[in-house]
Amino acid sequence: MNEAGSILHDGFLLLGFALAFVLLFRRLGLGATLGYLLAGAVVGPQALGLVGQAEQKLGFAELGITLLLFLVGLELDPARLWRMKKDILGLGLLQVTLCGLAVAGVIFAFTDFSAAAALALGLPLALSSTAQVLPMLQSSGRLRTRFGERAFSILLFQDLSIIPLITIITALSRNPADAGGPPGWLLGLETLAAIVGLVLAGRFLIRPLFRLIGNLGEREMFVVAALFTVMASAAVMELLGLSTALGAFIAGVMLADSPYRHELEADVEPFRSILLGLFFLAVGMMLDLGAIARNPVFVLSMAAALIAVKAAVMFGLARLFGMGWRPALALGLLLSQGGEFGFVLFAQAQHALLIAPEAASVFGAVVTLSMATTPFLMMATRRFREAPADADEEREGPGGERVGALIVGYGRFGQTVGQMMLASGIDVTLIDTDVEMIDVAGKFGAKVYFGDGTRIDMLRQAGAAEAEMILFCLDGDQLSADLIEAAHEAFPNAAIYVRAFDRRAMVRLRDAPTTLVVREVLESAVVMARAALDNFGLSQEAINKAEAFYRKRDNERLEVQIAAGDVRAAHERVITETGDAGAAAA
């Protein structure tokens, strides 16, 4: 009971302070990350001392980074990742190498650290904060732009470089216990084997699992399976001493081109948001205010030097790779902070007897302060680094494709609508919950995603925020006015078209903010009636008059029913006797 009470007590305080600080900093335009960091510093043991055990909470909260990389992986199918190889292996490699050596040079030149210690500190400081940068790119809508892809390529290579950096620190180690450790080439082979294993598991185990769950229709099992996939891939990498975030990213990439991508994004996103916030709270709690108080000039000047060196090197590299000076400046400032993996590598350097615990605390404070400056830097330089309005990058939709229309339901009705739009050159995203239909559509070359289109979070993950229109083509009587109202409120720029089941649905949706509501069988019934009348020998003029008369009477009746909110209204306008045919012919 005491342990449960402690969890509730800590959770109450952490969430309460986080809520207050994040709302305040959002209001000030400084972003959520700085709010979380400051909330953690205030509530932590170095300030008010209301919540302790920051290291334990940090270990749990690192799942947020793992989930973040899984979600990013879901947006990068293997083909798109291959197109980014130049930025990953070229720009990413140069950034880590040159920034690491430059920062190590500054530390060696202006401190008493040995060359080995300066290298063990400088290389980790070359890494930026994936947990901070990616949400900033997502919230600004730039993750899927060319600029966002380059920033992500660098961050991805930084994650890949964890193993080489650990190998370098181990090679520099003064600890006799590290002498019997595995050589670097063996770690490299283990990393490659783990990646291949995750790829095969994703193809032959995970995809069939999601197909089975989709057939069962159990949404909560999707959540369980998604979290299992992330945890399993991360656990395998951790078992081998590799990056857990890298394992989750690979799992995401393997599922990026599957029909279940959008459903997985919608299910995992809430967990990612909460755990990532907890991660920054824990980082703030771990901020060693004592180390800052004892060495204020050193900590502040080292944080400033780190930001200046990384921004300058990154700016030069970006210009070398053909970027304009504005995006190059933005990229340099965006990646100028230290990263969360720095804490891991500082601990490794401390274990290797390259630095003292005091140095690890001081440089941990440097990393935290540099992370806190990023929102201020981006805000202060906005007018200098942003391109003119007519030079904005064209943004891509989910997974790299632009979304012109989002069609919910790919049955008989949705197929006709979708194929006509595709034939007209409209970019369409299709979602459905029928696994068998998705498989059949795939055989004919159509890409249909698995997902419940009556969920707002599902629509958002499928690209509704960028879509010009949302077309609900669902079988049966599934839509309510509340759902349409919620969709319109969430995506006000999208025109909403609805397939209504019958007249009752038309009446029920009378006040819904739709562009068009059509009854699903009306037009096909009119076509059959016209064919039958033609077979009776009626002239085309007579058939046209009969159709016009029917449509006029039907529309008048429907208007009365909608106004009354009752399908039984205006029953006298139903054509029930042959005598009404004279009126049609008149």
PDB file of all heavy atoms in Angstrom, residues 46 57 123-124 151 168 184 201 262 320 324 338 348 359 378 387 393 400 491 542 544 563 572:
ATOM      1  N   GLN A  46      16.542  18.574  -6.337  1.00  0.00           N
ATOM      2  CA  GLN A  46      17.448  19.708  -6.274  1.00  0.00           C
ATOM      3  C   GLN A  46      16.759  21.010  -5.913  1.00  0.00           C
ATOM      4  O   GLN A  46      17.409  21.988  -5.561  1.00  0.00           O
ATOM      5  CB  GLN A  46      18.159  19.872  -7.622  1.00  0.00           C
ATOM      6  CG  GLN A  46      18.971  18.672  -8.052  1.00  0.00           C
ATOM      7  CD  GLN A  46      20.205  18.474  -7.195  1.00  0.00           C
ATOM      8  OE1 GLN A  46      20.811  19.431  -6.748  1.00  0.00           O
ATOM      9  NE2 GLN A  46      20.562  17.218  -6.955  1.00  0.00           N
ATOM     10  N   LYS A  57      12.781   6.800 -12.664  1.00  0.00           N
ATOM     11  CA  LYS A  57      11.732   7.318 -13.549  1.00  0.00           C
ATOM     12  C   LYS A  57      12.267   7.543 -14.954  1.00  0.00           C
ATOM     13  O   LYS A  57      11.556   7.343 -15.944  1.00  0.00           O
ATOM     14  CB  LYS A  57      11.146   8.613 -12.969  1.00  0.00           C
ATOM     15  CG  LYS A  57      10.348   8.392 -11.699  1.00  0.00           C
ATOM     16  CD  LYS A  57       9.849   9.685 -11.114  1.00  0.00           C
ATOM     17  CE  LYS A  57       8.945   9.432  -9.918  1.00  0.00           C
ATOM     18  NZ  LYS A  57       9.595   8.701  -8.838  1.00  0.00           N
ATOM     19  N   LEU A 123      32.522  13.441 -28.109  1.00  0.00           N
ATOM     20  CA  LEU A 123      31.735  12.616 -29.031  1.00  0.00           C
ATOM     21  C   LEU A 123      30.278  12.469 -28.586  1.00  0.00           C
ATOM     22  O   LEU A 123      29.368  12.609 -29.416  1.00  0.00           O
ATOM     23  CB  LEU A 123      32.398  11.247 -29.203  1.00  0.00           C
ATOM     24  CG  LEU A 123      33.732  11.252 -29.959  1.00  0.00           C
ATOM     25  CD1 LEU A 123      34.345   9.861 -29.984  1.00  0.00           C
ATOM     26  CD2 LEU A 123      33.543  11.777 -31.383  1.00  0.00           C
ATOM     27  N   PRO A 124      29.979  12.192 -27.319  1.00  0.00           N
ATOM     28  CA  PRO A 124      28.571  12.151 -26.902  1.00  0.00           C
ATOM     29  C   PRO A 124      27.851  13.489 -27.085  1.00  0.00           C
ATOM     30  O   PRO A 124      26.655  13.518 -27.387  1.00  0.00           O
ATOM     31  CB  PRO A 124      28.652  11.767 -25.420  1.00  0.00           C
ATOM     32  CG  PRO A 124      29.945  11.052 -25.272  1.00  0.00           C
ATOM     33  CD  PRO A 124      30.876  11.728 -26.239  1.00  0.00           C
ATOM     34  N   ALA A 151      16.869  16.525 -41.320  1.00  0.00           N
ATOM     35  CA  ALA A 151      17.060  16.551 -39.863  1.00  0.00           C
ATOM     36  C   ALA A 151      16.907  15.143 -39.293  1.00  0.00           C
ATOM     37  O   ALA A 151      17.705  14.703 -38.451  1.00  0.00           O
ATOM     38  CB  ALA A 151      16.053  17.505 -39.224  1.00  0.00           C
ATOM     39  N   ILE A 168      34.428   3.059 -29.011  1.00  0.00           N
ATOM     40  CA  ILE A 168      35.557   3.993 -28.864  1.00  0.00           C
ATOM     41  C   ILE A 168      35.858   4.248 -27.394  1.00  0.00           C
ATOM     42  O   ILE A 168      37.022   4.228 -26.971  1.00  0.00           O
ATOM     43  CB  ILE A 168      35.244   5.315 -29.603  1.00  0.00           C
ATOM     44  CG1 ILE A 168      35.213   5.081 -31.109  1.00  0.00           C
ATOM     45  CG2 ILE A 168      36.270   6.387 -29.244  1.00  0.00           C
ATOM     46  CD1 ILE A 168      34.733   6.283 -31.903  1.00  0.00           C
ATOM     47  N   GLY A 184      35.084  -4.445 -31.060  1.00  0.00           N
ATOM     48  CA  GLY A 184      34.101  -3.635 -31.782  1.00  0.00           C
ATOM     49  C   GLY A 184      33.507  -4.342 -32.984  1.00  0.00           C
ATOM     50  O   GLY A 184      32.317  -4.203 -33.275  1.00  0.00           O
ATOM     51  N   ALA A 201      11.392 -11.070 -38.478  1.00  0.00           N
ATOM     52  CA  ALA A 201      10.281 -11.213 -37.531  1.00  0.00           C
ATOM     53  C   ALA A 201       9.110 -10.325 -37.931  1.00  0.00           C
ATOM     54  O   ALA A 201       7.941 -10.731 -37.843  1.00  0.00           O
ATOM     55  CB  ALA A 201      10.756 -10.862 -36.117  1.00  0.00           C
ATOM     56  N   HIS A 262      -1.804   3.116 -40.053  1.00  0.00           N
ATOM     57  CA  HIS A 262      -2.533   4.219 -39.430  1.00  0.00           C
ATOM     58  C   HIS A 262      -3.185   3.802 -38.116  1.00  0.00           C
ATOM     59  O   HIS A 262      -3.242   4.577 -37.154  1.00  0.00           O
ATOM     60  CB  HIS A 262      -3.593   4.760 -40.392  1.00  0.00           C
ATOM     61  CG  HIS A 262      -3.016   5.385 -41.630  1.00  0.00           C
ATOM     62  ND1 HIS A 262      -2.008   6.320 -41.588  1.00  0.00           N
ATOM     63  CD2 HIS A 262      -3.296   5.196 -42.943  1.00  0.00           C
ATOM     64  CE1 HIS A 262      -1.696   6.694 -42.822  1.00  0.00           C
ATOM     65  NE2 HIS A 262      -2.453   6.018 -43.658  1.00  0.00           N
ATOM     66  N   LEU A 320      27.211  22.821 -47.653  1.00  0.00           N
ATOM     67  CA  LEU A 320      27.992  21.925 -48.511  1.00  0.00           C
ATOM     68  C   LEU A 320      27.088  20.945 -49.248  1.00  0.00           C
ATOM     69  O   LEU A 320      27.366  20.566 -50.394  1.00  0.00           O
ATOM     70  CB  LEU A 320      29.019  21.166 -47.669  1.00  0.00           C
ATOM     71  CG  LEU A 320      29.984  20.235 -48.419  1.00  0.00           C
ATOM     72  CD1 LEU A 320      30.887  21.046 -49.345  1.00  0.00           C
ATOM     73  CD2 LEU A 320      30.821  19.433 -47.434  1.00  0.00           C
ATOM     74  N   GLY A 324      20.018  26.078 -48.863  1.00  0.00           N
ATOM     75  CA  GLY A 324      20.103  27.526 -48.791  1.00  0.00           C
ATOM     76  C   GLY A 324      20.504  27.977 -47.392  1.00  0.00           C
ATOM     77  O   GLY A 324      20.414  27.209 -46.428  1.00  0.00           O
ATOM     78  N   GLY A 338      22.662  19.265 -26.850  1.00  0.00           N
ATOM     79  CA  GLY A 338      23.073  17.904 -26.535  1.00  0.00           C
ATOM     80  C   GLY A 338      21.858  16.996 -26.483  1.00  0.00           C
ATOM     81  O   GLY A 338      20.720  17.469 -26.502  1.00  0.00           O
ATOM     82  N   GLN A 348      29.020   5.642 -19.333  1.00  0.00           N
ATOM     83  CA  GLN A 348      29.983   4.692 -19.883  1.00  0.00           C
ATOM     84  C   GLN A 348      31.411   5.209 -19.695  1.00  0.00           C
ATOM     85  O   GLN A 348      32.320   4.454 -19.332  1.00  0.00           O
ATOM     86  CB  GLN A 348      29.695   4.494 -21.384  1.00  0.00           C
ATOM     87  CG  GLN A 348      30.468   3.371 -22.043  1.00  0.00           C
ATOM     88  CD  GLN A 348      29.886   2.002 -21.750  1.00  0.00           C
ATOM     89  OE1 GLN A 348      28.739   1.917 -21.320  1.00  0.00           O
ATOM     90  NE2 GLN A 348      30.660   0.963 -21.946  1.00  0.00           N
ATOM     91  N   ALA A 359      32.435  15.315 -13.052  1.00  0.00           N
ATOM     92  CA  ALA A 359      32.449  15.749 -14.449  1.00  0.00           C
ATOM     93  C   ALA A 359      31.199  15.271 -15.185  1.00  0.00           C
ATOM     94  O   ALA A 359      30.626  16.004 -16.004  1.00  0.00           O
ATOM     95  CB  ALA A 359      33.705  15.232 -15.151  1.00  0.00           C
ATOM     96  N   MET A 378      15.033  28.977 -31.550  1.00  0.00           N
ATOM     97  CA  MET A 378      14.152  28.857 -32.713  1.00  0.00           C
ATOM     98  C   MET A 378      13.172  30.020 -32.778  1.00  0.00           C
ATOM     99  O   MET A 378      12.842  30.510 -33.857  1.00  0.00           O
ATOM    100  CB  MET A 378      13.403  27.530 -32.668  1.00  0.00           C
ATOM    101  CG  MET A 378      14.300  26.288 -32.664  1.00  0.00           C
ATOM    102  SD  MET A 378      15.478  26.242 -34.038  1.00  0.00           S
ATOM    103  CE  MET A 378      14.380  25.925 -35.412  1.00  0.00           C
ATOM    104  N   ALA A 387      11.935  31.146 -44.741  1.00  0.00           N
ATOM    105  CA  ALA A 387      11.898  31.611 -46.120  1.00  0.00           C
ATOM    106  C   ALA A 387      10.640  32.425 -46.364  1.00  0.00           C
ATOM    107  O   ALA A 387       9.653  32.306 -45.630  1.00  0.00           O
ATOM    108  CB  ALA A 387      11.950  30.411 -47.069  1.00  0.00           C
ATOM    109  N   GLU A 393       8.235  25.010 -48.634  1.00  0.00           N
ATOM    110  CA  GLU A 393       8.343  23.668 -49.203  1.00  0.00           C
ATOM    111  C   GLU A 393       6.964  23.065 -49.368  1.00  0.00           C
ATOM    112  O   GLU A 393       6.059  23.316 -48.588  1.00  0.00           O
ATOM    113  CB  GLU A 393       9.155  22.765 -48.265  1.00  0.00           C
ATOM    114  CG  GLU A 393      10.598  23.184 -48.132  1.00  0.00           C
ATOM    115  CD  GLU A 393      11.330  22.260 -47.185  1.00  0.00           C
ATOM    116  OE1 GLU A 393      11.810  21.222 -47.638  1.00  0.00           O
ATOM    117  OE2 GLU A 393      11.410  22.582 -46.001  1.00  0.00           O
ATOM    118  N   GLY A 400       4.527   9.991 -46.896  1.00  0.00           N
ATOM    119  CA  GLY A 400       5.186  10.525 -48.073  1.00  0.00           C
ATOM    120  C   GLY A 400       4.220  10.848 -49.194  1.00  0.00           C
ATOM    121  O   GLY A 400       4.561  11.533 -50.132  1.00  0.00           O
ATOM    122  N   PHE A 491     -11.299  18.849 -38.411  1.00  0.00           N
ATOM    123  CA  PHE A 491     -10.696  19.083 -39.731  1.00  0.00           C
ATOM    124  C   PHE A 491     -11.561  20.087 -40.507  1.00  0.00           C
ATOM    125  O   PHE A 491     -12.244  19.720 -41.475  1.00  0.00           O
ATOM    126  CB  PHE A 491     -10.575  17.768 -40.503  1.00  0.00           C
ATOM    127  CG  PHE A 491     -10.078  16.624 -39.660  1.00  0.00           C
ATOM    128  CD1 PHE A 491     -10.916  15.568 -39.323  1.00  0.00           C
ATOM    129  CD2 PHE A 491      -8.781  16.619 -39.158  1.00  0.00           C
ATOM    130  CE1 PHE A 491     -10.474  14.525 -38.530  1.00  0.00           C
ATOM    131  CE2 PHE A 491      -8.333  15.587 -38.363  1.00  0.00           C
ATOM    132  CZ  PHE A 491      -9.177  14.534 -38.041  1.00  0.00           C
ATOM    133  N   ALA A 542     -40.956  10.542 -72.282  1.00  0.00           N
ATOM    134  CA  ALA A 542     -41.859  10.114 -71.211  1.00  0.00           C
ATOM    135  C   ALA A 542     -41.067   9.609 -69.990  1.00  0.00           C
ATOM    136  O   ALA A 542     -41.432   9.875 -68.833  1.00  0.00           O
ATOM    137  CB  ALA A 542     -42.798   9.028 -71.719  1.00  0.00           C
ATOM    138  N   ASN A 544     -38.052  10.545 -69.122  1.00  0.00           N
ATOM    139  CA  ASN A 544     -37.449  11.714 -68.468  1.00  0.00           C
ATOM    140  C   ASN A 544     -38.477  12.443 -67.606  1.00  0.00           C
ATOM    141  O   ASN A 544     -38.169  12.915 -66.509  1.00  0.00           O
ATOM    142  CB  ASN A 544     -36.864  12.659 -69.507  1.00  0.00           C
ATOM    143  CG  ASN A 544     -35.633  12.076 -70.184  1.00  0.00           C
ATOM    144  OD1 ASN A 544     -34.986  11.182 -69.637  1.00  0.00           O
ATOM    145  ND2 ASN A 544     -35.319  12.557 -71.383  1.00  0.00           N
ATOM    146  N   ALA A 563     -37.468  18.825 -42.109  1.00  0.00           N
ATOM    147  CA  ALA A 563     -37.939  19.937 -41.286  1.00  0.00           C
ATOM    148  C   ALA A 563     -38.671  19.440 -40.048  1.00  0.00           C
ATOM    149  O   ALA A 563     -38.542  20.009 -38.953  1.00  0.00           O
ATOM    150  CB  ALA A 563     -38.847  20.845 -42.116  1.00  0.00           C
ATOM    151  N   GLU A 572     -48.446  11.509 -47.742  1.00  0.00           N
ATOM    152  CA  GLU A 572     -49.381  11.643 -48.863  1.00  0.00           C
ATOM    153  C   GLU A 572     -48.683  11.931 -50.183  1.00  0.00           C
ATOM    154  O   GLU A 572     -49.291  11.821 -51.257  1.00  0.00           O
ATOM    155  CB  GLU A 572     -50.389  12.753 -48.556  1.00  0.00           C
ATOM    156  CG  GLU A 572     -49.822  14.174 -48.584  1.00  0.00           C
ATOM    157  CD  GLU A 572     -49.079  14.562 -47.311  1.00  0.00           C
ATOM    158  OE1 GLU A 572     -49.059  13.744 -46.365  1.00  0.00           O
ATOM    159  OE2 GLU A 572     -48.513  15.678 -47.261  1.00  0.00           O
TER     160      GLU A 572
END
